[in-house]
Amino acid sequence: MIVLTVLGGVLAGCGHPETLRTGAAAGPAVSGEPSPGPAAPSRAPSSGPPVLAPGPGGLTPVFAGRAESSASRKATGGDAKVVALTFDADMTADQGQRAAGGEHFDNPGLIASLRRLKVPSTVFMTGRWAQEYPSQARSIGTDPLFEIANHSFSHYAFSSPCYGLPTVAEEDMRADVERAFTAIRETGARQVVPYFRFPGGCYDDTALKALAPTGVTAVQWDVVSGDAFATDADAVAEQVLEGVKPGSLVVMHCTRSAAPVTDEALRRIVPELRGRGYRFVKVSELMRG
């Protein structure tokens, strides 16, 4: 697998180098505390997205895709060739001045490509991003092609250390997630799902316990795109194409300033995976199984 060089530190969106560094496929709990085992699927009402049952001790469940080894697929009669592409729309509370100065934390070209290519996708959005780009959030969140999930309000870490990110106090974690959902819904977005992605991919049992009352399912990944700060779209595409297996969940970014080649990489990834027989789904469909 091609490992891309991360320029200027970790993108304030997903912290994907964590997965590269540890070799863990599901975005591990970086604090050293034990993460919960797999949670059993729990069917939501037909009108709503599926969620997972609570993990051990009632902790927030964690979902990282349904990718299996080829041997496992043969033993079970094969797995549908589906893959979920997810995009983190990142922005912190203190980046308003940078946005006012012309820095682009959005990527409308990427969203346009997803629409043109008809790729169902899940966008993990911070509340601050929704406030900065309300018309875009509303457009994404009212398009049946997409669903919007929660990526915290200000992209502060929920465990420490986490790549130098400021940390949300334990007593504020639930309120931070609820504040983000409120900011997203206030834009008029309707396709909002009860899923949450930890900033930097960093979490521990304390965070999973704090978020349990929100009813969210935490969503990690098993394929790292390496698009953060990348300048070589082909390298990003190769990393995704080499990593995807049936049931994979890919993490990418929807932030022009910090992930400038994602759109270009996507325009190679999609036709190549379709040529291999893959079908693209949103996280809710992947979770439904």
Side-chain angles (χ1 to χ4, degrees):
M1 180 175 71
I2 299 171
V3 179
L4 304 182
T5 302
V6 179
L7 304 177
V10 177
L11 173 61
C14 191
H16 66 267
E18 171 193 347
T19 308
L20 294 174
R21 185 185 66 205
T22 64
V30 299
S31 69
E33 297 189 27
S35 60
S42 175
R43 303 299 184 194
S46 59
S47 60
V51 293
L52 298 187
L59 299 181
T60 297
V62 180
F63 180 72
R66 297 192 180 279
E68 300 176 351
S69 68
S70 58
S72 175
R73 289 196 299 276
K74 287 179 181 178
T76 58
D79 188 19
K81 294 185 78 171
V82 297
V83 58
L85 300 184
T86 69
F87 300 88
D88 290 357
D90 305 323
M91 191 169 185
T92 63
D94 59 354
Q95 289 176 333
Q97 279 192 323
R98 288 165 58 182
E103 185 169 350
H104 296 285
F105 297 93
D106 61 341
N107 195 337
L110 171 64
I111 298 301
S113 291
L114 290 167
R115 285 176 167 140
R116 180 176 57 80
L117 294 167
K118 297 180 172 59
V119 180
S121 308
T122 304
V123 177
F124 285 83
M125 189 178 292
T126 65
R128 183 64 187 86
W129 194 100
Q131 290 181 338
E132 186 70 26
Y133 305 107
S135 62
Q136 291 188 56
R138 180 172 58 255
S139 177
I140 294 168
T142 54
D143 186 337
L145 193 65
F146 303 112
E147 62 188 12
I148 296 178
N150 191 316
H151 195 34
S152 81
F153 184 80
S154 294
H155 201 269
Y156 283 12
F158 282 63
S159 70
S160 183
C162 186
Y163 308 105
L165 292 175
T167 305
V168 180
E170 178 183 352
E171 61 270 21
D172 297 330
M173 290 179 180
R174 175 179 177 179
D176 182 275
V177 172
E178 292 172 343
R179 184 184 180 193
F181 274 129
T182 296
I184 293 165
R185 291 191 174 102
E186 284 180 344
T187 69
R190 295 194 299 269
Q191 275 93 241
V192 182
V193 290
Y195 307 148
F196 176 75
R197 175 166 286 162
F198 286 99
C202 306
Y203 67 90
D204 54 23
D205 282 2
T206 297
L208 294 175
K209 181 178 180 181
L211 297 192
T214 69
V216 298
T217 293
V219 176
Q220 298 286 89
W221 56 83
D222 70 284
V223 177
V224 177
S225 70
D227 64 341
F229 301 107
T231 57
D232 186 338
D234 283 334
V236 173
E238 286 293 338
Q239 185 149 310
V240 173
L241 292 169
E242 290 182 10
V244 165
K245 300 182 291 292
S248 277
L249 201 161
V250 183
V251 58
M252 305 183 82
H253 294 84
C254 186
T255 313
R256 269 183 288 174
S257 63
V261 300
T262 305
D263 184 17
E264 183 181 351
L266 177 81
R267 286 183 265 118
R268 178 183 165 194
I269 291 166
V270 170
E272 289 203 24
L273 285 179
R274 280 181 170 151
R276 298 178 189 180
Y278 279 91
R279 179 171 63 90
F280 296 97
V281 298
K282 291 176 271 191
V283 169
S284 57
E285 184 175 347
L286 188 66
M287 195 178 299
R288 189 170 281 115

